[in-house]
Amino acid sequence: MCYNVGKNLNEVYVNMSTGNGVFDPIKLDGSWDIQILEPPELICNSLEEIAGSVTLTDNWLKINVPGSWETQGISPYFEGIGVYKKYFDITDQYYSLLKEGNIYLRFYGVSAWAEVILNGVNIGHHEGIWSPFEFNITDLIKKEENELIVKVIKPGKKFLPLRESLAGFLPDVCMPFGGIWKPVEIVIKKDISIEDIRIKSDIHKNELNLSLYINRDNDEKSLIEIILYDGEDVLLKKAEEIYLNSGTSNVQFKLKIDNPHLWSIDDPYLYRLEIKVYSGSELSDRLVKKVGLREVRYSGSNILINDSPVYIRGILHWGWYPDTVAPIPTEEVIREEISKLKEAGFNLIKHCLYVPIEEYFDIADEMGMLIWEELPLWVPKIDDKIKEKVYKQYNEIVKSIRHHCSIIIWTLGCELDETADYQFLNNLYNMVKGLTDGLIRDNSGSGECYGGLLNENADFYDYHFYTDPPFYKDLLDSFAAQWRKEKPWLFGEFCDSDTIRDIKRLIEVYGELPWWIFPKGFGINWNISYHRQIEKIESNNLSDKLPYLVKSSIDKSLVYRKLVLELVRQYKNISGYVITGMRDTPISTSGIFNDFGELKYEPYLIRTINSDTVVTIQWDNRRRWINGGDRLIRWDRFNYQSGSIIRPHIVISHFGKDHIKNARILWTLEDGKDIIDEGEEYIECNLSPGMVNEIATLEINTPEVSDITKLTFRVKIYDTDLEEVIAENFWTFWLYPKISINKYKEFSVCLIDHCNIFQDVKDSIFSKFNLTSDISNCEVIITTTLNQELIGYIGEGKRVLYIQQGGGYIPVERKPFWRESIQIMEKHPIIRGFDNEKFCSQQWYSLATDTVFTSEGLDRLAGNNGKWYPILRRLDARNFDLDEYLVEIVLGKGLIIASTLRFQGGLGDEANGISLNPAGEYLLFQILKSLLKIS
């Protein structure tokens, strides 16, 4: 709590006043003195007692304000008290008004607790990383040699636990930052001051509504002058003499604007608002803000800005800046971030569990970037003490930034569980709802998913789906149930995909491993090993492959995001998403920007799936009569037998500015060298912004091939009225050569399928071979069970394909195929023809598995008399463990090909059976040929 030291020592300021003062403020930024002190081992009941327990010495160091400790030579592990000291003078102008005015000491941000002492007097304290605060120092200020001391305690373990400090996410899982991290200044006002302002536009009445909260010392009439500038011109000017009571008065103004220029993403027009308050004929306080006129609401599942539907395409920003640690980027960095994001098709930034500096909002307003502000309540230990902090700090934060037109969404916490009770969240929601506009929700991620409240306070649905692509459709279908009340559905964060960190380049830039790459252990311990990346890659003989691994992982992450975003865009009741995340951080490499601030993907490739209008493809359904009834059959959409028909449904998700009434579709099917088929269709349609529709179905004959062939299917959609391309996209498919019916009948194969994964034997590749149950007389054994008896046969010369999906003879671990990893293909004849270039991941779509063999388990199986050789491997992108999907094991005179791959599919929307999984069937065929020694 901040205490006003002036005419009433007991008066409490809840938040910082808004006014800019009579003159420009005196900046106290720059060089300060600091001492870093460890409190003595005392039993202290409060942070004030801890701060009072330290004794200053003569050993002062230099530090810059604003800025965090961690970038200025103070250990990130330090948990004690930083005592700042600054001497300053005030100007003649300020001093001349001292008897008739008030002087305020204003802090824009201190992490996280500050006690302030001016000229030997303790003037109060404040807790809260993200909120500004100030003190009235009129009765303490001198013209020269003012001594300002600020004692600071940062979040950590000892004194101010992270979960009690509202530090948010990244400080908890990575590192908290400490210090006076935002500017400090002196402001002078006379007896009337502007304490707060709320700005709300009514685009239907062409009005700008202002609520001014004005404080004065006595009961008198005062003149309030309001000027609205349109560029350099005065658009309107209003002056009223208003009677103000002593204390705080709320004054309402309605400004009528003829033909207002509305603010939007594509046209972020800003007016300049200037408010002046006079005491008699003298200026007492003033306020200058840039304002945008816009309305945010929703209708059904559509989010509307100025009555036009907007599809939210956001990026999750944790506020990570390695050079500053605290989120204090320069104006140049902010503009570059927003420019790159807009180029890649994004229209929103979600500031996740932190509050950026004021300049970020200013530039977002100016450049037309939407903001989702998530306030910093994450995994809290909620009690009455925490609730009091949340109410107070949220009030301060929201009031300090609510005037920004770019902020359209607020969430009040993230992934909260049952410890956040209904009354608390309801109070919080109503408080913020009363303070600002936009769409507001109490719990990003939903209580439904995280064990919290089902009776939520929310203007929209918000889920955080982190999973592999085959599982998305079931999640979407279930959570998008038609019985739910219709309102917007956003993914507050999702679709993360880690890439391999270019650790050697990072060392080249920093001269060594940067300190922030090492685990800190302040809060949650993340399962990461970036500090051991070089060691682990070298131990796995992958050092020479690092550039390839970096590039390949980026290609794969784009495929993952393409699959997920295209699917999401096909749901009419989904209103947008926020991708995790902005930039690679010390705990994750799922950023769309790498450690050096470079966009990982070509902007064109991102825009095809991340624009106002996106063209996607969907597929026809299949069914089979099984055990007396129809059942849905899933099949692989990316892999086809030679000569098959590809039947895509062309779907368009349209949120552009214009109606589409007549469209022309151009499509081509290419094999890398030539266009092997193409077509053109004219479509009469009526697509208004905010619609998702199928606009065409195609049936395309594929050629006969003798080798695996990669095809690229491209679609362009033209608006024939506007004569422009409104959307284009492409997809990759693979064709597999047909297998001769009778050629392999002479070879006997024994199938031991205790797991019942090959139910469709008659319809699959097995029909090409002579199946037998005689282990001793067969040439190859395919088994889902491995035991000592089979090991004995192998040692004597048998050749075996062992498929293990889950627990079994070889130890396995459960790990995702798509997320947090990359696949490495070794040179081996059985995977010849399987792609290893861009977009190759889809070829493995219905082979993908969530189990891997461990190296230790394979070593034990091979023992002293055997060897094993990798064929398809999994490299973890976070801890760099190397595991195996497909291996060759030599045991005695025999051979095992062992795999955890799912030749039959079956996970999520993977193919239901080997006969519906051409890639799995072909790979199985290649393995059998290899084991049978067939060329």
Side-chain angles (χ1 to χ4, degrees), residues 331-341 367 593 597:
E331 179 179 329
E332 180 184 10
V333 168
I334 297 169
R335 290 186 182 279
E336 184 179 12
E337 278 185 3
I338 293 177
S339 294
K340 287 180 178 179
L341 288 171
M367 297 182 68
F593 295 107

Side-chain angles (χ1 to χ4, degrees), residues 485-542:
K485 180 181 177 181
E486 190 177 22
K487 56 185 176 181
W489 172 1
L490 299 172
F491 291 103
E493 50 184 89
F494 92 138
C495 199
D496 71 326
S497 182
D498 291 76
T499 58
I500 302 297
R501 181 165 250 139
D502 194 344
I503 196 75
K504 290 185 177 179
R505 183 181 173 195
L506 201 63
I507 292 172
E508 289 174 5
V509 170
Y510 283 86
E512 59 183 355
L513 279 175
W515 62 270
W516 45 260
I517 210 78
F518 293 86
K520 303 301 175 293
F522 283 105
I524 291 178
N525 292 319
W526 225 246
N527 182 24
I528 54 173
S529 299
Y530 298 117
H531 62 299
R532 296 184 59 203
Q533 180 176 341
I534 290 180
E535 167 199 338
K536 296 187 79 169
I537 284 181
E538 285 179 349
S539 69
N540 290 314
N541 299 316
L542 295 174

Side-chain angles (χ1 to χ4, degrees), residues 221-236:
K221 283 187 176 181
S222 299
L223 179 68
I224 300 176
E225 183 179 59
I226 299 175
I227 307 172
L228 191 67
Y229 292 89
D230 187 356
E232 296 299 318
D233 301 324
V234 175
L235 181 64
L236 61 84

Side-chain angles (χ1 to χ4, degrees), residues 337-529:
E337 278 185 3
I338 293 177
S339 294
K340 287 180 178 179
L341 288 171
K342 288 176 79 75
E343 185 184 6
F346 291 94
N347 60 16
L348 177 139
I349 298 171
K350 181 181 182 183
H351 294 292
C352 177
L353 295 165
Y354 85 104
V355 184
I357 56 177
E358 183 82 7
E359 289 82 356
Y360 212 115
F361 295 111
D362 289 336
I363 295 170
D365 290 347
E366 177 193 330
M367 297 182 68
M369 178 59 75
L370 302 175
I371 299 294
W372 176 336
E373 182 54 47
E374 182 163 274
L375 300 175
L377 190 63
W378 184 70
V379 197
K381 295 179 180 178
I382 294 179
D383 54 22
D384 289 341
K385 181 180 177 183
I386 292 296
K387 290 178 182 179
E388 182 181 350
K389 288 184 182 183
V390 172
Y391 291 137
K392 175 185 178 296
Q393 292 182 34
Y394 275 24
N395 182 71
E396 294 173 349
I397 293 168
V398 174
K399 284 184 175 180
S400 69
I401 61 176
R402 65 182 176 182
H403 62 280
H404 289 284
C405 55
S406 54
I407 305 176
I408 68 162
I409 301 172
W410 302 77
T411 40
L412 313 182
C414 180
E415 299 175 359
L416 304 176
D417 60 19
E418 72 281 355
T419 59
D421 63 83
Y422 175 78
Q423 192 61 55
F424 169 58
L425 291 181
N426 181 253
N427 290 344
L428 206 56
Y429 173 83
N430 289 328
M431 183 188 83
V432 176
K433 196 78 171 174
L435 291 173
T436 187
D437 63 356
L439 305 182
I440 300 174
R441 180 181 177 85
D442 57 6
N443 184 6
S444 184
S446 82
E448 182 175 7
C449 292
Y450 291 91
L453 298 174
L454 290 178
N455 187 17
E456 298 176 311
N457 304 276
D459 299 334
F460 58 95
Y461 300 112
D462 177 357
Y463 303 111
H464 298 176
F465 290 166
Y466 290 112
T467 189
D468 275 7
F471 305 109
Y472 263 99
K473 193 172 189 309
D474 284 346
L475 282 168
L476 297 179
D477 289 344
S478 296
F479 279 82
Q482 295 302 307
W483 49 262
R484 293 181 187 268
K485 180 181 177 181
E486 190 177 22
K487 56 185 176 181
W489 172 1
L490 299 172
F491 291 103
E493 50 184 89
F494 92 138
C495 199
D496 71 326
S497 182
D498 291 76
T499 58
I500 302 297
R501 181 165 250 139
D502 194 344
I503 196 75
K504 290 185 177 179
R505 183 181 173 195
L506 201 63
I507 292 172
E508 289 174 5
V509 170
Y510 283 86
E512 59 183 355
L513 279 175
W515 62 270
W516 45 260
I517 210 78
F518 293 86
K520 303 301 175 293
F522 283 105
I524 291 178
N525 292 319
W526 225 246
N527 182 24
I528 54 173
S529 299

Side-chain angles (χ1 to χ4, degrees), residues 593-863:
F593 295 107
N594 63 17
D595 285 314
F596 316 103
E598 301 160 345
L599 187 63
K600 293 178 181 178
Y601 321 114
E602 298 172 43
Y604 158 75
L605 295 176
I606 288 288
R607 286 197 305 271
T608 60
I609 55 175
N610 190 48
S611 296
D612 284 337
T613 301
V614 170
V615 59
T616 73
I617 53 177
Q618 192 49 268
W619 304 95
D620 52 298
N621 292 311
R622 298 184 183 181
R623 39 70 61 198
R624 277 184 183 171
W625 189 264
I626 299 175
N627 296 338
D630 276 321
R631 298 188 188 180
L632 181 67
I633 296 298
R634 292 187 168 112
W635 49 280
D636 191 291
R637 290 93 64 197
F638 305 104
N639 298 280
Y640 294 85
Q641 296 289 353
S642 176
S644 297
I645 298 175
I646 299 177
R647 307 198 304 179
H649 296 240
I650 310 301
V651 178
I652 191 166
S653 171
H654 176 54
F655 284 78
K657 292 180 290 185
D658 303 307
H659 284 254
I660 303 172
K661 295 183 178 179
N662 295 290
R664 181 162 60 107
I665 300 175
L666 296 178
W667 61 267
T668 61
L669 189 66
E670 307 163 9
D671 65 0
K673 299 177 183 177
D674 304 305
I675 294 176
I676 58 178
D677 201 355
E678 59 186 328
E680 180 176 10
E681 295 194 22
Y682 288 87
I683 308 294
E684 288 188 11
C685 53
N686 186 14
L687 294 177
S688 58
M691 294 185 69
V692 179
N693 284 85
E694 177 190 71
I695 59 172
T697 56
L698 304 176
E699 295 197 26
I700 306 170
N701 292 305
T702 63
E704 300 288 344
V705 297
S706 57
D707 290 304
I708 298 180
T709 302
K710 182 165 71 172
L711 303 178
T712 302
F713 175 57
R714 300 184 187 276
V715 171
K716 284 187 180 182
I717 300 180
Y718 289 84
D719 185 326
T720 55
D721 294 334
L722 298 175
E723 296 184 349
E724 63 180 24
V725 177
I726 57 173
E728 56 184 308
N729 207 342
F730 66 93
W731 299 269
T732 306
F733 307 119
W734 285 264
L735 291 180
Y736 298 84
K738 292 178 180 177
I739 302 170
S740 172
I741 296 177
N742 297 315
K743 185 176 180 181
Y744 304 103
K745 282 290 185 181
E746 61 188 89
F747 298 100
S748 58
V749 175
C750 179
L751 178 61
I752 306 171
D753 185 10
H754 290 165
C755 299
N756 205 28
I757 65 175
F758 294 127
Q759 299 179 57
D760 52 346
V761 171
K762 293 181 181 179
D763 300 320
S764 68
I765 188 177
F766 293 112
S767 64
K768 311 292 190 293
F769 294 89
N770 175 27
L771 289 182
T772 177
S773 58
D774 189 350
I775 293 178
S776 59
N777 291 322
C778 69
E779 292 165 284
V780 166
I781 300 169
I782 300 176
T783 182
T784 58
T785 304
L786 200 60
N787 52 36
Q788 284 302 119
E789 181 184 6
L790 277 174
I791 293 293
Y793 276 114
I794 295 165
E796 294 172 0
K798 284 291 182 185
R799 303 169 76 81
V800 171
L801 168 60
Y802 172 49
I803 300 170
Q804 180 178 322
Q805 294 168 357
Y809 197 84
I810 306 175
V812 296
E813 291 187 357
R814 297 281 184 179
K815 295 182 179 180
F817 188 90
W818 293 83
R819 296 179 60 247
E820 303 172 9
S821 68
I822 180 177
Q823 283 68 46
I824 301 174
M825 293 172 59
E826 302 292 347
K827 289 183 178 180
H828 195 285
I830 67 174
I831 55 172
R832 186 184 67 81
F834 278 79
D835 201 353
N836 204 22
E837 300 300 325
K838 254 183 181 178
F839 306 108
C840 66
S841 305
Q842 291 145 299
Q843 191 175 18
W844 298 90
Y845 191 90
S846 288
L847 277 158
T849 179
D850 56 5
T851 56
V852 289
F853 294 132
T854 64
S855 298
E856 294 80 4
L858 291 167
D859 287 341
R860 284 198 295 272
L861 175 61

